[in-house]
Amino acid sequence: MGDLFVLVISCIFINNILLAQYLGNCPFLGTSKKMETAIGMAMAVIFVLVLAGGLTWILNEYMLKPMDVVYLQTLSFILVIAALVQFVEMFLKKSIPALYGSLGIYLPLITTNCAVLGVCLINIKEEYTFIESLVTSFAYAAGFGLALVLFAGVRERILLARVPKPLQDVSIGLITAGIIAMTFMSFKGMV
Amino acid sequence: MALSLTKEFTKGLWAEIPPFRLVLGLCPTLAVTKSLENGIGMGIALTFVLVCSNLFISLLRNIIPSKVRIACFIVVVATFVTIVELLMQAYTYELFLTLGIFIPLIVVNCIPLGRAEAFAYKNGPLSSIADGLGLGIGYGLSLSALASVREILGNGTLTVWGGTPAFTMSPDFLPFKFLLTAPGAFVGLGLMLCLMNLIGKK
Amino acid sequence: MIPALLLMLGVGGVCGIVLSLASKIFYVYEDPRIAMVEGVLAGANCGGCGYAGCSAAASAVVSGQAPASVCVVSGKTGAEAVAKVMGVEVGNAEAPLSYNMCEGGSRAADKYHYMGVSSCKAMAVVFGGKRLCGVGCIGLGDCVKACVFGAVKIGPKGYPVVDDEKCVGCGACQKACPKNIIEVKTLSERLMKFNQKNDPLAPCAQTCPAEINIPLYINQLKEGKYKEAVRTIRLRNPLPLACGRVCPHPCEDECRRGIEDEPVSINQLKRFVSDYEMNSGSRIPITCAPDTGKKIAVIGGGPSGLSCAFFLRRIGHQVDIFEAMPKLGGMLRYGIPEYRLPKKVLDWEIQGILDLGIKSFCYVKFGVDFGLGSLMAAGYNAVFLGVGAWEDFSLGIEGENLEGCFTGINFLQRISGGEKIKLGRTAAVVGGGNTAVDCARTLLRLGLDKVYMVYRRTRKEMPANEVEIIASEHEGIEFVFLAAPTRVIGDDQNKVTHLEYLKMQLGEPDKSGRRRPEPVEGTETLLAVDMVISAIGQSPDASFKKQDPQPRMKELELTKWNTIDNNPATLQSSIPYIFTAGDAATGPSLVVEAIGGGRRAARSIDLFMKGKAVEPMKDSLQKKRIHESIFTHVDGVKKTPRAKMPEISVNERLDSFVEVDLVLPEVDAQKEAERCLNCCRICYNPDTDFPMAKKAG
């Protein structure tokens, strides 16, 4: 149990997927202009990533390994993730229209979010058990959400600053992300 | 014809050079640019995938039904990524290890998918190859530039290929380690973008 | 090789099967037309239409929320293609336009002087967008940046100005504005807008019962845009000529200039621009929304009925007016004497309203010539009941029916109708309201030697308009204050000879705040008169309720004052399809109140027609003030005298019914408009330059 806790802390803070592992940067910059969008995206990522983490672990453990075709990881994982996202979209539209209304538009973005595929691949590489995979998937996604929401908050404020023209938009965004990443570095050594 | 091919090719080198003009594929840009070697390796890998997938999709563009086109693009790209992965594992194992997870992640790097949707699906194979080649090389150049800066200033070396530095700063040089960390990557890329903006659009 | 192939086939197969199953199980019906409409849209996903991408726009079109012309990129051909899919005509829906509520003035520069920031949204985030004003335009131009059609510009005064020609009504500016200043609305929405809690409203605009945007039209007048000013007034008031003459202008009581100086002569300015239109020889075209195909009966052609009909017609409904009198106008025609509102002017104004395509039927009385049943049978979808208050209260004293006794409205109505009445030489008019003053001044013009006004309280308590009281003093009417009639005395031929009254004294203030008059015993006094006119108030004539054979009529509830009971916010009566406003609902009140009520009823009728719940406007300011907008002092005002209303001399007046008050000359009107402080909710432009602008300059 304690191990899982350590795992969660390290996934959220120390190895934050965005700020330490460089994964999921496109949606990070794309959906962080508004707090509302950032929260929606964060929720959608958490939702999909936990499902995808579990599913790809099963696929790897019971299909790829026995058949000795681990080299097909990338191909099969992305296929499964794409199908999963599509499935979730259809499911939500029918069963929970309210949730679909708030998360739906972010779902298509997730297929190409490298954080999702990345975490699935990390899970396999680190040889986590099924439970650990689920927990890390959740923790990484939560870390992604945390960074995204923090960043969106800062970005809404950046609107106020008089940014020199060449630095505007993405450029200042990246530098800000760098500073946030620096603060996350201080978590190192916590565990 | 030749003129338009040149145009498709050169736009990737300057007018639409990723990730500066076309802000796509940021993750590997940040992650692998610790050394020039990584940057070049990533550039080559991406160029290969981009050219192949562009060609393939362009050839198949009349067969792929538009409803499932994204799924098809993903499969095509994933196939070539797997091929690159296996090739690198066989011939440049060291590099494969340092680039690690970012090779398979080319699948979800928005550049190949984006070009497939925006260009290859609508254009012929020749222009598609030119487009892929241009953008791939452009991307490689960008990565190399960023990687050079980060490696020289952050580590005091410059490794072109093979793991051994081709150039080392004098021992008095105190490496600016910050640039090799994650925040350094963000700030470095941000400043590069700023520089590109300064030089001016187009 | 083989396992790899098998695996990929397997994974692909499973994914395919699961997805195709899922698409069956989780199938949500989508109108196939959505895909068809999306197919003909430009597909640029530009968001210019105000929807999130083309597919959202397509579903909005199919669900009827967006017109066929929604796509701003594909233009007319696109609209035709969409219309073909939907099977409708192009241009059936109203085009929304962007407009700006805040007049800004040079205040924008004054108040929003933030160094280094050039985004309204940013300012709104940090400072709530204000240093002083929480509702006004920030003036940093987010709307300008948002408009992809170049239709919005920051005007010379620092607030956005919309070019109607270029505006496509996409709504981008509205979304960009953090203060809800710039709004995209259709004409109908603008016509049916009522003052709301968060609107940038000057005190005068809050006070006006018709909710006219007063600072806006004064500003337009100042800039010489008289036509625009008339248009602004007509968004709220269809009878500016009549109102400009008879309105007691409650707006002027709240005028901020009035705190330090004399208030701006708002009503004179309204009269000036509306007279300008009348005298210009051509009518300013009044635009109406496309026809909705609904038919509404308006019973009563008075100010409330005319207002309700006007607004219903402008939002596209078909309206017919039924009037019991020979001509339209109600109290305006029969209750207000010629010298205050010439019939010629009233006719011109009413004709303009009828020209919109409203049919009128006069000389038909509700409950007698037609009833609820016949209206329903004729296919009317709703009824507006604006029958006014025409029943004079009686004094309830001895001798009231002697020859020479009249009641106020009845008397005025007969005179207006051209009836010859046998007159005496001296008359006593009982009452202190406008009707009483009108009766007294009319009697003078009819050639009587002496007219007394007998009122229970003192001049201070008289409810009549101050201007009217002053005019009647000028004209030589004698006031008998603190006098309560007790008896009318007649001779043996039953002709009036005297009015007996009891002297009164003022006691403690009553609920209305006026000091209650108390009789002083034994002070009976005789006033030698041969005519007595009692004008002490009226109530609606609700006889139609008994006369109408339609059983449903019994459900119409009346109050104890005989007015028609209604929901004061929606004006819906106890019968859902009957709406009511004006004197019939409120008891005797102001013309402008009836006009405002007519518009409010039009809004409710429109909701009712559309099958929506008839609910009051949210955060409505009806009869409420925004607390923060009411000042106790106004700095920086240099006293300048108010424009004097030109009037004809007393001698000229008494011989005829010629209009007494004249219109301001253009120069004076301009000068008077300059006196307007151009207030908004909490700001105003003092005469002196703003201190901030001075420092900056």
Side-chain angles (χ1 to χ4, degrees), chain C residues 570-638:
Chain C
T570 63
L571 305 180
Q572 194 172 28
S573 76
S574 51
I575 300 177
Y577 57 82
I578 295 184
F579 298 81
T580 178
D583 288 358
T586 58
S589 185
L590 310 178
V591 171
V592 67
E593 192 87 51
I595 288 171
R599 191 169 71 92
R600 201 172 284 275
R603 176 184 166 271
S604 300
I605 292 173
D606 185 48
L607 289 176
F608 187 75
M609 290 292 104
K610 287 177 177 153
K612 291 182 190 158
V614 181
E615 276 167 358
M617 188 113 180
K618 262 190 206 152
D619 298 331
S620 168
L621 272 182
Q622 196 181 7
K623 299 208 172 126
K624 275 181 262 171
R625 299 282 181 284
I626 301 165
H627 176 70
E628 62 181 26
S629 71
I630 308 300
F631 293 176
T632 52
H633 61 280
V634 181
D635 297 329
V637 172
K638 271 191 239 151

Side-chain angles (χ1 to χ4, degrees), chain C residues 260-340:
Chain C
E260 307 287 340
D261 191 7
E262 287 173 301
V264 176
S265 190
I266 298 170
N267 204 39
Q268 287 285 315
L269 296 177
K270 175 160 68 216
R271 175 166 174 188
F272 170 77
V273 286
S274 45
D275 273 29
Y276 171 85
E277 185 203 1
M278 183 173 64
N279 298 331
S280 72
S282 64
R283 291 181 190 272
I284 298 168
I286 301 173
T287 41
C288 293
D291 281 333
T292 58
K294 301 281 184 190
K295 225 165 94 174
I296 294 131
V298 168
I299 301 172
S304 70
L306 286 171
S307 162
C308 187
F310 175 83
F311 287 109
L312 285 172
R313 181 68 206 107
R314 286 195 75 181
I315 57 178
H317 300 300
Q318 192 192 327
V319 190
D320 294 340
I321 304 179
F322 298 87
E323 167 63 53
M325 294 295 205
K327 278 183 162 179
L328 292 179
M331 280 291 175
L332 288 174
R333 183 180 298 278
Y334 297 105
I336 292 174
E338 172 81 15
Y339 62 86
R340 278 179 70 198

Side-chain angles (χ1 to χ4, degrees), chain A residues 47-48 51 81-97 99-101 103-111, chain C residues 19 22 26 28 30:
Chain A
F47 190 78
V48 171
L51 283 178
I81 290 170
L84 177 74
V85 170
Q86 195 94 53
F87 180 82
V88 167
E89 203 179 339
M90 284 193 276
F91 173 76
L92 286 184
K93 203 171 180 180
K94 175 80 177 180
S95 316
I96 323 171
L99 193 62
Y100 177 77
L103 298 187
I105 51 168
Y106 305 109
L107 285 173
L109 287 174
I110 289 180
T111 315
Chain C
L19 280 185
F26 301 121
V28 180
E30 256 181 8

